[in-house]
Amino acid sequence: MFTFVVTCYNQAEVILYALESIRYQIERFGQGQDFQLIVTDDGSTDDSCRVIRRWMEENQSLFVKADQLFRRENAGICVNYVEALRRVEGERFMVLNGDDLLSPYNLFEVTSRLDTHDIVCTAFLKFTGSGEMITTYQTYLEVVLQRFIRGKTLYNCIRMGCPVMGTALFRRELLTEGVLDFILQFRTVNDRACFQRIFHENRDLKVCYVNRQLILYRISGGSVSNWNSPGRLLHNREIAQLCRIERQGEKSPLRRLILGWQEKSVAFRSARSRFGRLLRFCSPYFAVMFALTMVHFKEIRQMERALVDFYWEDCARHYQEMEERCRQVGEKLW
């Protein structure tokens, strides 16, 4: 059984995109498989829960098991995330934020790589609230760098709370209670905390990268990925906290210095001035990024172009189709 997890908070206007993209994957690529759906809402004050309930009533035949986890009060994405993960029954699963949607490509073809790897890193495309794909190549540098951040470098980047493996798929068995309890120390850095603890417990994981979009990310005013969003400040503080936790347990003076440097550099991410934000590039992680980019410059540029040029039109059409599909579903539901 494959499990889809959807996390939601005040996303009534867009949650159908996420749900309909799951239905698209199942109907087009999921023949012969069983599916579980877990939708968790973090105390939404809009109509999110109502939309979710109606959609799940109409589509319950798609799933062997469907769970609705609705909190009365907001507790943060980490609590939502952990509560959902504790309900996962499939050997393989993926988590989708309520304002994003799955790409038009075969998700299960990608997850089949978990037969030979512990973690499969994937790419994504970003789009604006109006559905326009962001096609600037340099936007995806950190995405394609997943191809080259490996071994000890990967482990050290994870320890520094760096944004690698954001859309990664991994085996359910890696989600121990120690991992889940660690995530609950935070409110916003669920993915980074998850991988930090997974790599603490498993040093020899087999990781691969697939240069194809798995998720289409919506960039909106309230998104944590938006530099000016209200949650960004807390997010940055928690990234610094991840570095601090690592530094406190580190014996090597050099590594403690590097982790302290990374922790302090996070503060520049919240700077109001453009110059202040530029100082974030003076950090150990960006030194790693710069070094890898120089060594693999030609291949990285080819991968960035391939990621955008080969797929953005398909993804734009898919978004438009999902938009029309959601309009029709909305009319039917209400």
Side-chain angles (χ1 to χ4, degrees):
M1 183 162 63
F2 187 92
T3 301
F4 291 98
V5 176
V6 180
T7 61
C8 178
Y9 178 63
N10 284 344
Q11 291 158 342
E13 294 183 359
V14 295
I15 187 66
L16 280 179
Y17 287 80
L19 297 172
E20 282 296 310
S21 71
I22 289 174
R23 181 157 77 97
Y24 175 90
Q25 285 287 326
I26 292 173
E27 292 177 341
R28 182 161 185 180
F29 305 115
Q31 292 80 9
Q33 297 189 61
D34 291 331
F35 298 98
Q36 176 188 17
L37 174 64
I38 303 171
V39 184
T40 175
D41 181 85
D42 194 18
S44 291
T45 56
D46 63 4
D47 279 339
S48 294
C49 294
R50 181 166 168 254
V51 174
I52 292 165
R53 286 193 185 98
R54 290 288 292 117
W55 187 91
M56 292 180 76
E57 288 171 2
E58 290 291 322
N59 294 278
Q60 57 185 340
S61 62
L62 294 174
F63 308 100
V64 172
K65 187 172 184 181
D67 298 303
Q68 301 174 24
L69 306 177
F70 296 163
R71 297 186 61 84
R72 292 185 178 181
E73 296 182 0
N74 180 262
I77 182 60
C78 290
V79 171
N80 244 13
Y81 183 73
V82 169
E83 287 184 350
L85 293 185
R86 286 195 163 121
R87 297 286 191 98
V88 170
E89 296 184 11
E91 294 180 3
R92 298 171 184 177
F93 70 97
M94 73 155 303
V95 181
L96 181 66
N97 293 329
D99 57 347
D100 302 326
L101 64 155
L102 296 175
S103 77
Y105 309 114
N106 190 341
L107 161 67
F108 311 111
E109 186 179 84
V110 177
T111 59
S112 67
R113 297 198 178 208
L114 290 173
D115 290 340
T116 54
H117 294 82
D118 299 296
I119 298 177
V120 179
C121 301
T122 66
F124 56 81
L125 278 187
K126 295 181 178 181
F127 66 95
T128 65
S130 61
E132 181 181 355
M133 296 295 150
I134 297 174
T135 58
T136 307
Y137 298 135
Q138 291 78 11
T139 301
Y140 303 103
L141 172 61
E142 284 183 295
V143 178
V144 300
L145 274 176
Q146 293 177 103
R147 165 70 176 78
F148 306 101
I149 299 177
R150 287 289 175 269
K152 291 183 178 179
T153 303
L154 174 59
Y155 174 69
N156 288 325
C157 286
I158 293 290
R159 295 185 69 198
M160 290 189 290
C162 297
V164 290
M165 303 198 304
T167 59
L169 300 164
F170 55 94
R171 297 179 180 178
R172 171 66 180 84
E173 64 195 41
L174 296 178
L175 282 176
T176 65
E177 282 302 310
V179 170
L180 298 177
D181 288 342
F182 183 75
I183 298 170
L184 288 174
Q185 297 181 54
F186 307 93
R187 282 186 62 91
T188 68
V189 291
N190 52 310
D191 289 337
R192 302 189 199 209
C194 180
F195 287 115
Q196 182 171 312
R197 191 50 47 176
I198 283 176
F199 273 82
H200 262 286
E201 296 183 0
N202 307 271
R203 292 294 299 273
D204 299 316
L205 295 172
K206 294 183 67 176
V207 180
C208 70
Y209 171 68
V210 179
N211 198 41
R212 180 183 292 183
Q213 297 84 350
L214 182 67
I215 292 176
L216 305 182
Y217 273 133
R218 186 186 304 271
I219 304 302
S220 60
S223 172
V224 171
S225 56
N226 186 322
W227 288 103
N228 299 312
S229 67
R232 187 73 196 190
L233 184 61
L234 174 60
H235 189 69
N236 289 336
R237 285 202 302 264
E238 292 194 331
I239 294 172
Q241 185 180 347
L242 287 171
C243 296
R244 190 158 53 252
I245 290 172
E246 288 292 332
R247 182 166 54 84
Q248 289 170 351
E250 179 56 62
K251 296 180 179 179
S252 166
L254 177 59
R255 289 176 181 161
R256 281 202 303 272
L257 176 63
I258 292 173
L259 287 165
W261 179 10
Q262 182 69 24
E263 177 189 343
K264 298 302 181 184
S265 71
V266 172
F268 295 120
R269 292 171 172 266
S270 305
R272 293 185 177 274
S273 68
R274 171 173 283 187
F275 175 75
R277 288 197 295 271
L278 284 174
L279 291 176
R280 74 185 188 277
F281 293 106
C282 301
S283 71
Y285 175 58
F286 279 101
V288 171
M289 288 179 61
F290 180 78
L292 289 174
T293 301
M294 292 299 99
V295 172
H296 304 284
F297 182 81
K298 184 177 181 180
E299 189 173 356
I300 284 172
R301 288 293 172 258
Q302 290 173 344
M303 291 175 67
E304 287 174 334
R305 287 177 171 80
L307 186 61
V308 173
D309 294 346
F310 292 169
Y311 299 115
W312 83 264
E313 290 181 332
D314 280 350
C315 291
R317 279 194 296 270
H318 181 64
Y319 180 87
Q320 292 169 359
E321 290 170 3
M322 288 296 105
E323 188 172 44
E324 176 60 22
R325 192 163 170 169
C326 289
R327 185 188 65 78
Q328 295 174 0
V329 168
E331 291 176 354
K332 180 181 178 182
L333 291 181
W334 311 120

